[in-house]
Amino acid sequence: MSALPLPPADENRRRWRGLVLPAAALLVWWAASQAGVVNSALLVSPGKVLQTAADQVLSGKLWRALGASLAREFTGFVIGATAGLLLGALLGVSRAFNRLVGPSFNTFKQISLFAWIPLISVWFGLGDTAKVVFLSLAALVPVVVNTCDGIRGTPPALLEVARVYGYTRLQTFTHVVLPAATPAIFTGIYLALIYSWLATIGAEYLLVAGVGIGNLLIEGSEHFQMDLVIFGMFVVGLVGWLMNALARLIERRLAFLRGAAQ
């Protein structure tokens, strides 16, 4: 039996509850900075962070850094997700390919992502190419794993129905396997989007050449500007939250379209 939908007032209250902890943390932060409990050089006031934010926005520095980071993230995500879809589909569909490549891929995915940094920096330098390669690796693994698992997890009953109706292998894949695997595939793409954004900051922090949000954090740290560091962290968190919200919105839209088509 499905749960009854919440009244609008209760639903609104549930949404606002998520703001309680951030609001409390902001209040404690403001009170601690005003009371001088913590060294002001280590914990700047919220007002100082807002002033830095205004300076970064009005001067255009934020937009240049954010644009560079998002361009790298998008490029690496597209390359990694595309390669992941292809490799995951081959691993899921072909048993021979799985026996040939599967063991090597299972070993590859056990290697920590950041362990590739020294090799990437030697092969590709410290510029955008190296960062995009790093981000592509971050996006590749979750897409491959979820695509392969989604395809191989197609219910046998559906495959039996396709066989009874005389579907060709291509028809079975496009009309049976692919729709059944879509939720898992989307999960992999969603994870790749989040992982590639997190890896963007790591790549910019470790491969320091160029402009980006990670470089903004480095600049603040090197000059002991905690207001710039905290502002950069807020930007990273906000962009990640927006990506998560966008991915969830697309997922709900696709689910609605699939339901309407059935």
Side-chain angles (χ1 to χ4, degrees):
M1 183 177 180
S2 59
L4 294 175
L6 291 172
D10 292 341
E11 183 66 24
N12 289 333
R13 280 197 293 270
R14 289 186 62 181
R15 291 175 179 175
W16 284 105
R17 284 174 191 167
L19 297 177
V20 172
L21 184 59
L26 184 61
L27 181 61
V28 171
W29 175 20
W30 176 82
S33 62
Q34 290 295 111
V37 176
V38 183
N39 187 339
S40 60
L42 299 177
L43 184 66
V44 296
S45 67
K48 178 63 174 175
V49 175
L50 287 176
Q51 181 182 352
T52 299
D55 292 340
Q56 289 289 318
V57 170
L58 295 177
S59 66
K61 291 181 180 179
L62 172 63
W63 308 122
R64 287 192 294 272
L66 189 58
S69 294
L70 289 176
R72 296 184 191 110
E73 197 272 345
F74 179 75
T75 304
F77 165 74
V78 170
I79 294 173
T82 302
L85 288 171
L86 178 60
L87 180 57
L90 289 173
L91 289 171
V93 170
S94 173
R95 292 183 179 179
F97 187 82
N98 197 342
R99 287 194 294 267
L100 179 65
V101 178
S104 298
F105 176 75
N106 289 331
T107 302
F108 167 81
K109 72 180 183 181
Q110 302 304 321
I111 302 174
S112 171
L113 181 63
F114 288 94
W116 292 98
I117 288 287
L119 192 61
I120 291 174
S121 62
V122 171
W123 284 356
F124 302 100
L126 301 176
D128 283 349
T129 301
K131 294 182 178 71
V132 169
V133 170
F134 182 75
L135 302 182
S136 300
L137 292 177
L140 175 74
V141 173
V143 176
V144 173
V145 171
N146 284 275
T147 300
C148 179
D149 290 347
I151 291 175
R152 297 177 69 180
T154 303
L158 295 179
L159 298 176
E160 180 63 22
V161 170
R163 188 188 67 79
V164 170
Y165 276 95
Y167 279 17
T168 64
R169 295 189 66 178
L170 180 60
Q171 288 175 324
T172 301
F173 180 79
T174 56
H175 297 294
V176 178
V177 175
L178 192 57
T182 296
I185 293 173
F186 188 86
T187 298
I189 293 175
Y190 164 74
L191 292 174
L193 181 65
I194 302 302
Y195 290 173
S196 59
W197 173 243
L198 297 177
T200 299
I201 308 305
E204 292 174 349
Y205 203 87
L206 296 172
L207 302 170
V208 296
V211 178
I213 294 297
N215 303 95
L216 195 70
L217 292 170
I218 295 174
E219 179 184 347
S221 176
E222 289 179 345
H223 295 86
F224 213 68
Q225 294 177 280
M226 292 300 103
D227 50 329
L228 188 58
V229 173
I230 294 174
F231 169 67
M233 292 173 62
F234 271 116
V235 171
V236 171
L238 179 60
V239 172
W241 180 85
L242 289 173
M243 287 183 177
N244 178 76
L246 178 61
R248 293 303 185 190
L249 179 63
I250 295 174
E251 182 182 27
R252 288 194 296 269
R253 182 61 179 170
L254 290 176
F256 173 79
L257 293 176
R258 287 198 305 270
Q262 292 176 352

